[in-house]
Amino acid sequence: IGNSPSGEKRMPRKLSSFVSAFIQYTANTGSPTLFRKWTAISLVAAALERKVWIRTSKGILYPNIFAVLAGPAGIGKTVAAGEIPALMEVLEEHHLAPTSVMKAGLIDALRDADRRIVRPSDNPPVYTFNSLYIVANELGVLLPGYDNDFMNVLTDLYDCRFYSERRRTKDLKFKIENPQVNLLAATTPSYLNSLMPEGAWDQGFISRVMLIYSGLAESVDLFTERAQDKALYSALRADLKELGNLFGKISFSPEAVEAFREWVGKKEEPRPDHPKLQHYCSRRQAHLLKLCMVACTSTSNDLIVTIDHYAEAFDWLLEAEASMPDIFKSMTMGGSSRVMDETWHFAYKRWMVDKKPIPEALLIEFIAQRAPSNEVVRILENMTRAGIFTTKLLPAVGAAYEPRPRR
């Protein structure tokens, strides 16, 4: 049993894991599991605000997270995020940003998002800060264009640094001494491509963002009404309230410390090797530590990161990183329809020369160079269903495909 901001004992949790329960609750919505998982991670981080932290040799680290869900249009990027406002009603003093907010509105909302925690036995007995949770269904609303000044503001807010501003038009000067922002946004790879100039991938803001990519929606029967699990929803609300009441420094068990040190000693392998993720990689230790705090508090009120919490956080990190390079493929390839056109053209030219069906392995290799790995088989299957290819079975080759001439 942990402590609340005011110091009283908290009640035990109803769920073994808030993150796992949220994934279960949002099943059968069509939204990819990875998006639902990171929505839950983001929600936990937002509930914690600046009320829990860890101390490192580089200073205090808070669990706030910037996560951007990236995928094709219509994949269900914002479905799980739609549950956030109702769930956050139990966090009466927490602050959710307006649904449509840009730079000036964001800073105004953050100024209004003041928090005051009274802990009589502490010195000082009053803990004050400003914390805001931004849930942007469209990243383009928050960032309609690449604004270097705004990116620097977001970077400072992510780092929980002192923020001050002077507006000449209103002769207004103000400061926010203890800010914190959590961000969950959704976008398409094509918008990221148009938003981020080439040099921006080396800047501080994007290295602080967890880019979460999925290219496939989960199948769902649109004519079957989704049954709401009221007991699970009630438990989610109760545990989220407990999360919002946690306060204090998080410590690590000796086993978790040893596992983290071993990973660092092995040069943080495995690590992303895409050139655009070079600066992201420089912050992987901080990302993992933040995820450790989320994994820990997701399961109990005990502010101790165990080896199990570390292992779960590590799995979250590697799972997200495995699909990050696919974002850049999607940025430049123009989507599945363009890949299908190029694949047909490649196959038809080869068929016109050889008059033989094209081996499946050759087509998979061609598509894999132009589409994210988790979309390769789906693209080939869709082309077959659409009659663009007809399947053949060759004795020496196995599965092969014959392209249909286009008129």
Side-chain angles (χ1 to χ4, degrees):
I1 300 178
N3 291 328
S4 75
S6 58
E8 74 270 14
K9 294 295 183 181
R10 305 305 312 171
M11 296 299 294
R13 297 291 184 83
K14 296 182 180 297
L15 302 166
S16 59
S17 167
F18 181 90
V19 171
S20 297
F22 184 88
I23 295 170
Q24 178 185 343
Y25 178 73
T26 53
N28 301 318
T29 59
S31 179
T33 301
L34 194 61
F35 288 168
R36 292 185 281 122
K37 180 182 295 182
W38 278 87
T39 299
I41 291 170
S42 174
L43 186 52
V44 171
L48 297 174
E49 300 178 305
R50 286 179 65 121
K51 301 188 303 294
V52 304
W53 61 88
I54 62 173
R55 291 188 181 274
T56 73
S57 58
K58 296 181 179 179
I60 294 178
L61 187 69
Y62 298 101
N64 61 310
I65 290 172
F66 283 9
V68 172
L69 311 181
I75 199 174
K77 296 184 288 294
T78 63
V79 171
E83 303 288 347
I84 290 176
L87 282 170
M88 284 198 68
E89 288 178 356
V90 300
L91 304 175
E92 296 176 355
E93 297 181 356
H94 287 57
H95 297 272
L96 189 63
T99 54
S100 179
V101 61
M102 292 187 287
K103 180 184 175 183
L106 170 63
I107 299 304
D108 288 340
L110 182 59
R111 289 177 63 204
D112 293 337
D114 55 299
R115 299 279 280 118
R116 187 171 182 268
I117 307 298
V118 179
R119 292 178 58 85
S121 60
D122 287 3
N123 185 22
V126 180
Y127 183 59
T128 60
F129 58 93
N130 291 62
S131 184
L132 187 67
Y133 188 20
I134 305 170
V135 180
N137 288 339
E138 291 292 341
L139 183 64
V141 174
L142 180 67
L143 298 171
Y146 189 85
D147 182 335
N148 196 56
D149 289 339
F150 191 18
M151 294 297 187
N152 290 336
V153 168
L154 289 172
T155 298
D156 284 346
L157 294 178
Y158 174 91
D159 293 338
C160 303
R161 294 175 180 169
F162 170 89
Y163 180 81
S164 64
E165 185 174 305
R166 183 169 194 142
R167 298 179 184 173
R168 295 180 180 178
T169 55
K170 295 183 179 180
D171 194 24
L172 179 65
K173 185 177 182 180
F174 61 87
K175 61 182 179 180
I176 305 173
E177 293 187 357
N178 299 309
Q180 187 201 43
V181 168
N182 281 277
L183 169 65
L184 178 67
T187 192
T188 61
S190 60
Y191 182 75
L192 271 181
N193 190 40
S194 65
L195 172 69
M196 303 293 292
E198 191 63 31
W201 294 96
D202 299 337
Q203 303 298 317
F205 169 74
I206 201 66
S207 69
R208 290 162 171 79
V209 173
M210 293 297 305
L211 294 170
I212 311 301
Y213 177 81
S214 182
L216 291 174
E218 294 187 358
S219 178
V220 61
D221 184 352
L222 296 179
F223 292 96
T224 300
E225 186 176 351
R226 177 182 165 226
Q228 186 185 55
D229 188 332
K230 294 183 179 179
L232 182 56
Y233 183 71
S234 177
L236 282 167
R237 285 172 61 90
D239 277 14
L240 186 62
K241 188 171 184 177
E242 291 299 313
L243 276 160
N245 282 323
L246 291 177
F247 188 96
K249 184 182 79 170
I250 292 181
S251 59
F252 280 66
S253 70
E255 296 82 5
V257 171
E258 181 59 29
F260 185 85
R261 286 174 173 165
E262 182 179 356
W263 175 65
V264 174
K266 292 181 178 179
K267 299 182 179 179
E268 303 176 16
E269 295 291 347
R271 59 189 291 127
D273 57 4
H274 195 283
K276 287 185 177 178
L277 295 175
Q278 177 183 351
H279 291 268
Y280 160 83
C281 285
S282 68
R283 300 188 182 276
R284 292 178 80 219
Q285 292 185 31
H287 288 310
L288 180 54
L289 291 176
K290 286 173 180 278
L291 291 176
C292 282
M293 287 189 269
V294 171
C296 166
T297 54
S298 171
T299 60
S300 79
N301 295 331
D302 297 329
L303 302 181
I304 302 174
V305 175
T306 67
I307 187 62
D308 290 337
H309 296 141
Y310 174 83
E312 182 171 39
F314 190 67
D315 286 345
W316 289 345
L317 183 75
L318 295 191
E319 182 183 33
E321 291 176 347
S323 61
M324 283 182 185
D326 289 340
I327 294 176
F328 307 114
K329 283 186 180 179
S330 291
M331 281 181 178
T332 57
M333 294 304 167
S336 297
S337 60
R338 179 173 173 181
V339 175
M340 291 169 68
D341 286 341
E342 292 183 3
T343 303
W344 174 85
H345 186 261
F346 164 78
Y348 190 72
K349 284 184 66 177
R350 190 179 181 94
W351 181 80
M352 287 293 289
V353 173
D354 298 338
K355 298 299 182 182
K356 295 179 181 178
I358 293 81
E360 182 179 69
L362 200 61
L363 290 176
I364 287 178
E365 180 183 2
F366 182 87
I367 297 170
Q369 294 172 357
R370 292 159 174 79
S373 57
N374 63 347
E375 295 184 29
V376 173
V377 173
R378 180 182 66 87
I379 289 173
L380 190 54
E381 289 176 348
N382 286 345
M383 294 182 73
T384 303
R385 291 193 188 102
I388 298 172
F389 286 145
T390 55
T391 57
K392 305 289 181 180
L393 191 62
L394 304 182
V397 176
Y401 296 81
E402 188 172 291
R404 181 191 67 191
R406 288 184 175 179
R407 297 180 181 180

